[in-house]
Amino acid sequence: MKFKQTPIPQNLFVHNRKRLAQHLDEQSLVILFSSDEMPRNGDQFYPFRQNSDLFYLTGIEQEKTVFMMFPDAPDKKKREVLFIIEPNELLETWEGHKLTPGEATEISGIETIKFINHYDDILGELMVQNKHVYLNTNENIKFNSEVDTRQCREGRKIKQRFPFHNYQRLAPILKSLRLEKQEEEVNAIRKASDITGNAFRNILKTVKPGVYEYEVEAKVTHEFGKNLATHAYAPIVASGKNAISLHYTDNNDQCHDGELLLFDFGAEYANYASDMSRTIPVNGKFTPRQRECYEAVLRVFKKARQMMVRGTTIESFHRKVANLLEEEHKKLGLYTGKDVENQDPKKPIWFKYYPHGTSHFIGLDVHDVGTKQEVFREGMVLSCEPGLYIPEENIGIRIENDILITVDGPVDLMENIPIEADEIEQLMAG
Ligand code: GLY
Ligand code: MN
Ligand code: MN
């Protein structure tokens, strides 16, 4: 736990629970579990990161936490119950401070805090009083893991103990709530974006031929750590041909004179992600060809950003951006109009130079909840990330900012982070 207490005020979590309650059937019990502490080797665990949905409803970042919500519970004190580990001297001697019930209430706004050893009894009591039980799973379309999650394991146990209840999926409701960011959430993403931008400004001063990718990564990590942030995802520091591999994270090569260096990193602050990509010349000066390619992607980025308005979807937005890139590809001599006429429509030529999507939702997770068919509405935050990859020229360019959808059009949360080719060259020279 980085923060003793999350810097997000409890009203967000109180409000999120109120919004959730409006979407539940009558007499419903919701049960959510914290993430697992993931085993590494020996007696070690990977750093703990709270389950995003549990955090969204409670603000609690501690392990072994369970939340039950039963808005129509006959016993008013059981309408919201948070279960936490019981602090004890031995545990705290080894692991440091654990939340007291008072602290848990202060963070979450939940009045009834129970120690986790009461879980079975209270579950039994609430299960005989409800008509529906909502259980949660990770419904990210790309999630496919051999490792079972705590919420699946515990959910199965509940179903075994109470086989004849009416079980429902919580994930679709939480998805629609999480898609629309509240003010506190946008503030956290803004803060994460600012930390990311400052890290980028700092490394512009230090990149030069001979530096290793991992040295640059270390600088980013240092900047994040100083600001109470972590990496929202494995950072990409990809020089030369490494940038062609879209999710290259080895970051172990030396950066050479004449190469481009592609970054894709983002700070996570108070559990909220940012996601930024930039591409710079290792020696501080783009070659004419590199600049030509960079300007092409930047032009597309600026046009694309303007297209991020209410009513569109990731799917249709991506198609339009691919068309813009196709025009630029032709100008750059990568293929001709005739090649496009003759292409197999199922395998457009642009895909060879742009083999990834243009956008995804951002929030508590870097690839946040929401599908490509979701209609953009106020409060959504998405990436805008066109790119260009030319393997035969060792050119890999991606430009990525995080955009908030508003009634007045797109707001670029990263608009102050250097992006113009001239600006990058000046900062690298200075
Ligand atoms: N950093 C991963 C992405 O841009 O989607
Ligand atoms: Mn990215
Ligand atoms: Mn992204």
Side-chain angles (χ1 to χ4, degrees):
M1 255 202 320
K2 273 259 154 43
F3 298 102
K4 187 156 168 241
Q5 210 163 295
T6 176
I8 296 179
Q10 63 162 240
N11 7 336
L12 173 67
F13 312 115
V14 173
H15 181 60
N16 289 346
R17 295 196 294 274
K18 279 207 186 110
R19 289 166 72 219
L20 170 60
Q22 287 163 5
H23 288 80
L24 301 175
D25 290 329
E26 279 185 9
Q27 305 292 335
S28 289
L29 171 66
V30 171
I31 311 172
L32 277 123
F33 298 89
S34 58
S35 301
D36 274 308
E37 295 163 276
M38 296 304 291
R40 205 178 104 166
N41 267 294
D43 62 355
Q44 297 301 301
F45 290 85
Y46 288 102
F48 181 75
R49 165 56 157 77
Q50 188 54 283
N51 174 274
S52 294
D53 292 319
L54 183 92
F55 179 81
Y56 186 73
L57 295 174
T58 67
I60 299 294
E61 296 184 71
Q62 189 164 274
E63 69 282 5
K64 297 194 182 87
T65 302
V66 183
F67 174 55
M68 290 184 196
M69 181 169 141
F70 187 177
D72 303 320
D75 178 353
K76 282 189 184 155
K77 288 201 176 121
K78 303 272 169 52
R79 292 188 175 168
E80 294 182 338
V81 187
L82 186 75
F83 298 86
I84 59 171
I85 349 175
E86 183 162 9
N88 68 68
E89 208 180 318
L90 180 68
L91 184 65
E92 299 202 340
T93 301
W94 286 91
E95 296 188 10
H97 181 71
K98 298 287 168 186
L99 293 176
T100 63
E103 287 167 340
T105 294
E106 202 178 322
I107 293 169
S108 64
I110 298 168
E111 293 297 332
T112 306
I113 311 289
K114 299 278 179 191
F115 292 129
I116 194 73
N117 54 324
H118 295 290
Y119 166 78
D120 277 334
D121 290 347
I122 294 178
L123 178 68
E125 181 188 335
L126 297 185
M127 284 300 272
V128 298
Q129 297 173 335
N130 69 62
K131 287 202 183 130
H132 307 274
V133 183
Y134 283 83
L135 296 175
N136 199 26
T137 54
N138 179 347
E139 294 194 8
N140 183 310
I141 207 158
K142 289 189 184 157
F143 178 72
N144 183 9
S145 170
E146 290 181 8
V147 183
D148 220 356
T149 60
R150 189 185 196 85
Q151 48 192 3
C152 277
R153 281 196 324 275
E154 293 299 329
R156 267 198 296 274
K157 277 192 223 160
I158 294 171
K159 287 177 100 169
Q160 207 164 19
R161 185 171 157 198
F162 303 96
F164 306 118
H165 273 68
N166 181 355
Y167 290 97
Q168 314 228 27
R169 286 155 56 211
L170 186 61
I173 304 177
L174 285 178
K175 180 194 78 172
S176 75
L177 298 181
R178 278 177 56 185
L179 271 169
E180 271 176 35
K181 270 67 186 175
Q182 311 297 302
E183 193 185 338
E184 297 88 343
E185 299 184 277
V186 174
N187 289 344
I189 298 173
R190 259 186 210 285
K191 172 87 179 166
S193 300
D194 290 347
I195 296 170
T196 302
N198 286 337
F200 176 60
R201 272 189 207 91
N202 269 322
I203 54 181
L204 282 178
K205 294 181 209 147
T206 56
V207 169
K208 52 181 176 306
V211 73
Y212 280 86
E213 292 163 349
Y214 53 78
E215 295 180 77
V216 182
E217 176 185 333
K219 284 220 153 48
V220 176
T221 306
H222 177 77
E223 269 305 302
F224 285 6
K226 269 192 345 192
N227 290 288
L228 289 169
T230 54
H231 288 278
Y233 53 92
I236 297 170
V237 183
S239 60
K241 64 175 183 344
N242 296 334
I244 308 298
S245 311
L246 298 174
H247 278 176
Y248 167 87
T249 51
D250 291 346
N251 304 350
N252 55 8
D253 250 350
Q254 197 170 22
C255 305
H256 300 293
D257 197 6
E259 285 177 343
L260 288 175
L261 178 58
L262 185 154
F263 305 110
D264 186 340
F265 57 77
E268 177 176 298
Y269 179 82
N271 289 322
Y272 281 85
S274 61
D275 184 5
M276 182 203 73
S277 301
R278 287 291 183 274
T279 310
I280 67 171
V282 168
N283 63 14
K285 192 122 187 74
F286 289 100
T287 65
R289 176 62 171 172
Q290 286 168 349
R291 184 180 265 264
E292 182 180 32
C293 292
Y294 186 86
E295 302 281 9
V297 180
L298 186 58
R299 262 194 303 277
V300 172
F301 167 83
K302 287 177 181 170
K303 286 185 193 159
R305 182 172 56 182
Q306 280 318 107
M307 287 155 39
M308 300 185 75
V309 293
R310 292 185 299 164
T312 189
T313 63
I314 289 179
E315 202 170 51
S316 74
F317 172 59
H318 178 56
R319 265 199 309 272
K320 288 179 199 145
V321 173
N323 287 340
L324 293 175
L325 278 165
E326 185 183 87
E327 290 308 309
E328 296 289 353
H329 292 167
K330 286 189 282 185
K331 283 191 237 157
L332 291 167
L334 297 174
Y335 48 83
T336 64
K338 205 153 207 79
D339 293 329
V340 174
E341 276 168 33
N342 296 332
Q343 76 187 1
D344 173 354
K346 286 201 199 99
K347 284 191 213 146
I349 308 182
W350 59 258
F351 190 78
K352 182 177 170 209
Y353 300 99
Y354 182 49
H356 63 76
T358 311
S359 190
H360 54 81
F361 293 100
I362 296 172
L364 283 167
D365 295 301
V366 64
H367 292 169
D368 209 37
V369 289
T371 65
K372 290 182 165 51
Q373 292 78 32
E374 230 73 61
V375 178
F376 291 4
R377 51 186 199 266
E378 189 186 359
M380 289 179 165
V381 177
L382 298 108
S383 71
C384 178
E385 49 180 307
L388 170 64
Y389 310 86
I390 317 176
E392 51 280 13
E393 299 183 46
N394 268 356
I395 284 179
I397 296 168
R398 181 160 63 253
I399 299 175
E400 174 176 29
N401 279 7
D402 302 346
I403 315 296
L404 170 69
I405 309 293
T406 77
V407 282
D408 302 319
V411 171
D412 188 341
L413 301 176
M414 296 182 154
E415 68 182 343
N416 295 324
I417 304 177
I419 201 165
E420 298 292 334
D422 286 341
E423 199 183 359
I424 287 170
E425 287 186 349
Q426 276 158 22
L427 287 166
M428 289 185 79

